[in-house]
Amino acid sequence: MKHTALFTALFGASFFAHSAITMTPQPDPDNAAGYIVSQSEIAAAEAAQTSDPMYAIWSQALETRPNATVEAIDEGIATNPINVKRVERVFPRSDWDFLTHMAAPEYTYTRFLRAIGKFPAFCGDYTDGRDSDAICKKSIITAFAHFSQETGGHIAKDNISDNPLALEEWQQALVHVREMGWIEGQEGYTTGCGQDDWQNKRWPCSAGQGYFGRGAKQLSYHFNYGAFSEVMYAGDATKLLNEPALVADSWLNLASAIWFFLTPQAPKPAMLHVIDRTWVPSQRELDAGIGYGFGTTINIINGGIECGEQNKTKGQPVNRIRYWEGLAAHYEIPIAADEVNTCWQQLPFGSLNLQGATDVLYTNWDGNWKYYSDRPGGYSFECELVGYQTAYSALEKGDYEKCVTNFYGSHAGWPTVRVVPDADITNPDGGTDNGNGETPTEPNGWSETKVYNTGDQVVVNGVTYQAKYWNQGVNPATAGEWGAWTLVSGQVTPPVTEPTPPVTEPTPPVTEPTPPVTEPTPDTGSSTWLADKAYTAGEQVIIDGVRYQAKYWTQGDDPAANKQWGPWKKA
């Protein structure tokens, strides 16, 4: 996706980081091992990383209506939401009936309308000149092409015994409401349940339940049931983890498919934004053959199994394409010149090389592990966007703060962090911010025991100094030019000392010159690495005959430990 560059790949970035965001953590008065940060700093750090307009578009696309409003939706009533009325106009009951002769009774037109009514962005309004009705119809027909593959009958038209109405295969959607071979009360798809990981803490499996495929999209596995439940039930993950059958027996059987249709899975875009062209493929994606068209929606759904030249004649993608082409022809869906129906010419999204990518947006937060010299302990006190799934989404309000507060303190040796209102943040002298943007000055001089953050000022002997970075115990008057402080105003008066009388050195006796001493070459079998010595980038050491070179500043990290992402490499 072509957007403002927001992401620097972790392993391509310097271990030492500098941020445009000011973070001034203060010692937590209620926790000696913790720190507090202000709400405004947390908000600024999040906003700086999600300033690209796509983040707002994604979040808006995932907005939902209350279930009480959704369950009041019915065919043809005046109180239906605007997007539901659009669906009734461009895809009336007669079209639904035409495509669902074989459908299971759990799928109904009213439930279809309710599923769409839950998400205002599906078949919503476009005010920028795009044709809202045309996009709505194309979205529905795209969904039905995939329904025909995922839950269809797949019965040949000339098989009169099983298909007496001689229906086209693309007319045989939504035959199955549960995955074939599974029944309610049967445990299954519980892989990963009970493990001590973040997924189980956020989406714990319920004893005796099975998370096999249900609904039009065949929702599977506990982490998908939990995530979908949070969307359907105002953040409550346990509802569908405890009652997964609802995804088969209620309007959620179709809502799960609409939810998938609207949800980006970075670096995959949302299917809606491929159809309405809100998504603009990056050069990296274009080089991989990924552009507009039905083929890219296959890549989003199941690219790892169905896309790529090796899958050109495989049954699943061939079926999807046949169903799409049949439906598009029947409903006269226009296909633009740059749209491609197939994905055999595409690399799966999961195969894209995203190392160092700056043109792809990510949607999950994880802790920022980089070192910041101007912050307590070098910790970032921030989270950053990453290209893998975590417990925290950039599209969910409040998740960034959860990432910061939950991530810190959960790692051994890391400080805990509390986010507090700005008014609760005090300056090093115990006073509060003066409210006019000026940097308060320590009135009583420098204190050896206080923590000073970047920009803090103190007065020592009538001279004002300002902290260059976080420090404690560094006297401004003796820090020197390259120390933690810089002189802001005033003049340093050198101390007055009595002149020292000259000392006459005795003439040394004449001695024979001593030949120079040559240091022996280190034994290749010995170690030149010292655990208490600090090494900078480029310095080399020898351990047991092997030479190692520091990749960045390090102290106490054994080069021979062979850590893949550690500070040493073999020279």
Side-chain angles (χ1 to χ4, degrees):
M1 290 164 283
K2 187 182 299 178
H3 304 295
T4 307
L6 293 181
F7 177 79
T8 301
L10 176 61
F11 303 121
S14 168
F15 183 77
F16 296 94
H18 301 280
S19 174
I21 301 301
T22 300
M23 297 293 291
T24 57
Q26 301 289 338
D28 188 341
D30 299 331
N31 180 6
Y35 289 84
I36 55 175
V37 293
S38 69
Q39 288 178 331
S40 63
E41 287 181 337
I42 288 292
E46 178 179 9
Q49 297 183 74
T50 56
S51 60
D52 190 284
M54 277 305 295
Y55 285 102
I57 292 170
W58 280 334
S59 295
Q60 185 178 18
L62 291 171
E63 289 180 357
T64 59
R65 293 188 175 100
N67 285 355
T69 301
V70 172
E71 289 168 358
I73 293 171
D74 206 346
E75 184 181 355
I77 63 176
T79 56
N80 283 345
I82 188 171
N83 66 322
V84 173
K85 291 180 178 178
R86 173 170 287 112
V87 172
E88 291 182 280
R89 184 169 64 252
V90 306
F91 191 79
R93 172 177 281 279
S94 58
D95 286 329
W96 170 269
D97 291 342
F98 179 71
L99 295 181
T100 57
H101 283 289
M102 290 187 179
E106 289 87 349
Y107 299 113
T108 68
Y109 186 59
T110 297
R111 286 179 173 178
F112 179 61
L113 296 179
R114 289 175 180 175
I116 289 170
K118 180 70 176 180
F119 299 93
F122 192 95
C123 287
D125 280 334
Y126 292 84
T127 59
D128 56 4
R130 284 180 283 182
D131 188 333
S132 301
D133 283 5
I135 292 170
C136 176
K137 191 169 185 178
K138 190 171 186 176
S139 296
I140 294 170
I141 298 308
T142 299
F144 263 87
H146 292 301
F147 293 165
S148 297
Q149 170 58 31
E150 301 284 332
T151 59
H154 305 292
I155 302 173
K157 186 176 180 179
D158 58 2
N159 183 351
I160 302 302
S161 60
D162 295 324
N163 184 7
L165 296 178
L167 300 174
E168 299 285 354
E169 286 187 43
W170 47 262
Q171 286 180 271
Q172 301 173 24
L174 304 175
V175 171
H176 304 287
V177 72
R178 291 173 179 83
E179 187 173 348
M180 294 179 66
W182 294 89
I183 59 174
E184 295 302 336
Q186 183 178 1
E187 286 193 41
Y189 280 69
T190 55
T191 301
C193 287
Q195 294 180 0
D196 185 20
D197 58 17
W198 68 264
Q199 286 187 334
N200 282 278
K201 291 174 183 175
R202 180 163 179 171
W203 304 309
C205 300
S206 182
Q209 295 296 341
Y211 302 106
F212 49 83
R214 294 181 178 89
K217 182 60 187 67
Q218 292 288 279
L219 193 72
S220 307
Y221 294 105
H222 73 102
F223 43 83
N224 286 322
Y225 276 83
F228 180 50
S229 183
E230 288 175 343
V231 174
M232 291 296 102
Y233 295 99
D236 181 5
T238 65
K239 179 67 174 178
L240 295 181
L241 289 169
N242 295 335
E243 302 176 65
L246 288 172
V247 180
D249 297 331
S250 73
W251 57 270
L252 272 62
N253 57 23
L254 289 156
S256 58
I258 304 299
W259 170 64
F260 182 86
F261 194 90
L262 296 172
T263 303
Q265 308 161 68
K268 300 178 185 180
M271 289 173 65
L272 171 65
H273 297 140
V274 174
I275 292 170
D276 70 9
R277 294 182 178 244
T278 298
W279 168 73
V280 179
S282 67
Q283 189 59 50
R284 187 182 299 264
E285 288 158 323
L286 292 172
D287 292 343
I290 302 172
Y292 294 117
F294 181 77
T296 295
T297 69
I298 300 175
N299 203 337
I300 291 171
I301 287 179
N302 208 17
I305 295 175
E306 299 185 27
C307 296
E309 191 162 5
Q310 72 277 15
N311 296 312
K312 187 174 183 178
T313 60
K314 197 170 186 178
Q316 295 104 310
V318 168
N319 282 345
R320 290 186 201 270
I321 295 160
R322 284 196 301 117
Y323 301 156
W324 161 249
E325 291 176 345
L327 285 160
H330 178 82
Y331 285 98
E332 299 181 340
I333 304 297
I335 309 297
D338 62 348
E339 292 186 34
V340 180
N341 295 340
T342 61
C343 71
W344 63 263
Q345 75 285 0
Q346 300 182 6
L347 279 177
F349 274 101
S351 298
L352 292 179
N353 178 14
L354 300 178
Q355 181 74 16
T358 57
D359 55 1
V360 176
L361 301 184
Y362 295 111
T363 55
N364 284 97
W365 298 113
D366 200 1
N368 180 346
W369 292 74
K370 299 182 183 71
Y371 181 87
Y372 290 77
S373 60
D374 61 341
R375 300 177 188 177
Y379 299 109
S380 70
F381 295 89
E382 294 183 40
C383 284
E384 64 180 353
L385 291 161
V386 295
Y388 48 85
Q389 188 185 30
T390 72
Y392 313 107
S393 170
L395 309 182
E396 292 291 333
K397 185 177 177 61
D399 265 19
Y400 181 82
E401 181 175 323
K402 290 178 185 176
C403 178
V404 173
T405 55
N406 294 354
F407 189 84
Y408 286 86
S410 64
H411 289 71
W414 286 49
T416 57
V417 174
R418 279 197 304 128
V419 178
V420 299
D422 289 26
D424 291 349
I425 295 287
T426 60
N427 297 308
D429 63 350
T432 57
D433 188 353
N434 57 20
N436 61 8
E438 297 177 358
T439 304
T441 301
E442 173 67 61
N444 299 319
W446 168 78
S447 170
E448 184 175 10
T449 60
K450 288 183 179 177
V451 170
Y452 296 95
N453 292 296
T454 304
D456 288 344
Q457 294 184 357
V458 297
V459 177
V460 179
N461 297 327
V463 179
T464 301
Y465 300 89
Q466 181 170 295
K468 299 177 187 175
Y469 45 80
W470 182 96
N471 70 89
Q472 183 180 26
V474 180
N475 190 334
T478 60
E481 181 180 0
W482 307 111
W485 298 88
T486 186
L487 189 148
V488 174
S489 62
Q491 185 173 356
V492 178
T493 304
V496 178
T497 58
E498 293 294 326
T500 303
V503 177
T504 302
E505 293 290 335
T507 302
V510 176
T511 59
E512 291 295 323
T514 302
V517 177
T518 303
E519 291 291 334
T521 301
D523 180 2
T524 57
S526 64
S527 171
T528 63
W529 173 72
L530 299 175
D532 58 353
K533 179 180 176 181
Y535 295 88
T536 57
E539 288 193 83
Q540 296 186 358
V541 298
I542 296 174
I543 296 180
D544 296 328
V546 180
R547 187 178 298 274
Y548 299 85
Q549 181 172 307
K551 293 187 284 186
Y552 44 78
W553 185 96
T554 176
Q555 183 177 20
D557 292 293
D558 186 354
N562 292 323
K563 295 179 181 177
Q564 185 179 7
W565 306 116
W568 295 93
K569 66 179 180 179
K570 290 184 179 180

